[in-house]
Each structure stands twice: as structure tokens, then as C-alpha cells.
Amino acid sequence: LVLCGTDGGLQCLLAHPCSHVSKTYEVALGPLRYARVHAAEGPPSATGPLDADAESKFERGLVLDDRRGTKCAAATLERLGALRVRVTLAEGMHHQVKRMVGACGGAVVGLARTAVGPVRLGTLAPGAARPVTDEELRAIAR
């Protein structure tokens, strides 16, 4: 899901972490050998599904694997299957979803943003576009 527009104020509102506009991602998990892991971040701690307590770790916020020990804000994790989860967060740090999943023992093999605030991808086909509705704009501005 990519939102494009000419309204700089709206773009800033959507992107800036202070606005707390949530972003939702569907994540496919898999073995480490298939995951693309950034060399500087190091590999995730395990190769299979997430730790049993991953939901509570996401809710508390995780210390990420950078040199500064950055703690990210709380996020929600919903299990959709053994190797599929939905993550909703209000921040947008570099590779944050991949790093949070890695901190819980998983490896990301697929990642798709499915919502930005009230704007949902829904059944929109790949490469297709649609205008943001007035109702969605009002909900974003709240």
C-alpha cells in the first residue's frame, strides 16, 4: 500500500511518528536461509515461528538490535497462522518490522503494508490505484 499525493501537510502527518498514524503489515515468516537479513543488523536469533510470548513482547515494546539499544514503541502482533502474522505499529524506524520479528526469534520472508491509518488495501489489485475517500481523510485528520 503506497499513498501518493500533492498535499505536503497530509504526507507529513502520515509519515511523522508524532502523529501516531498506525501502519499495518502482513508478514510471512520462514526459515532464516530464505530471509533477507541486513548484514549490519545480524541474523535473527532463531529460524522458525515466533517465540510463544511474542505478543507480550510487542505490547511492551522491544529493544532493537542496533548499537544504541533503541527501544521501539509498543505494537500489536496478531497471529494469522503458523508462519503468518499481522503487525500494527505507529512508528516507522528503519526495517522496524523485520527487526522486531527478529528479536522474537522469527525471520521475515515476505512483508506487505495493508493499511495506513483508516486507509485499507482491501481487494485492490497489484498496480491498481484509487482515490482516498473524504471519510478516510477526515479519519486521518482526527
Side-chain angles (χ1 to χ4, degrees):
L1 174 64
V2 177
L3 297 179
C4 300
T6 58
D7 184 339
L10 177 62
Q11 294 297 330
C12 185
L13 176 71
L14 292 172
H16 201 281
C18 291
S19 65
H20 301 290
V21 175
S22 65
K23 284 92 177 164
T24 302
Y25 301 85
E26 289 203 7
V27 183
L29 306 171
L32 181 59
R33 67 180 175 273
Y34 296 118
R36 296 178 60 207
V37 178
H38 192 278
E41 295 168 5
S45 59
T47 61
L50 297 177
D51 299 340
D53 62 343
E55 289 92 343
S56 63
K57 288 179 179 178
F58 269 66
E59 288 172 7
R60 289 191 309 264
L62 292 158
V63 175
L64 298 179
D65 55 358
D66 60 9
R67 291 184 183 99
R68 296 176 304 242
T70 304
K71 182 171 182 177
C72 61
T76 60
L77 174 80
E78 177 186 352
R79 294 179 192 264
L80 303 176
L83 294 173
R84 191 161 203 82
V85 295
R86 180 177 297 128
V87 175
T88 302
L89 48 89
E91 286 182 309
M93 290 189 275
H94 182 70
H95 292 285
Q96 183 174 347
V97 173
K98 292 178 184 180
R99 294 165 63 199
M100 291 177 78
V101 167
C104 292
V108 174
V109 296
L111 181 66
R113 183 168 44 210
T114 58
V116 175
V119 182
R120 307 269 182 252
L121 183 61
T123 59
L124 196 63
R130 72 163 178 88
V132 176
T133 67
D134 290 338
E135 184 178 320
E136 291 168 333
L137 286 173
R138 282 191 298 275
I140 290 169
R142 283 187 209 150

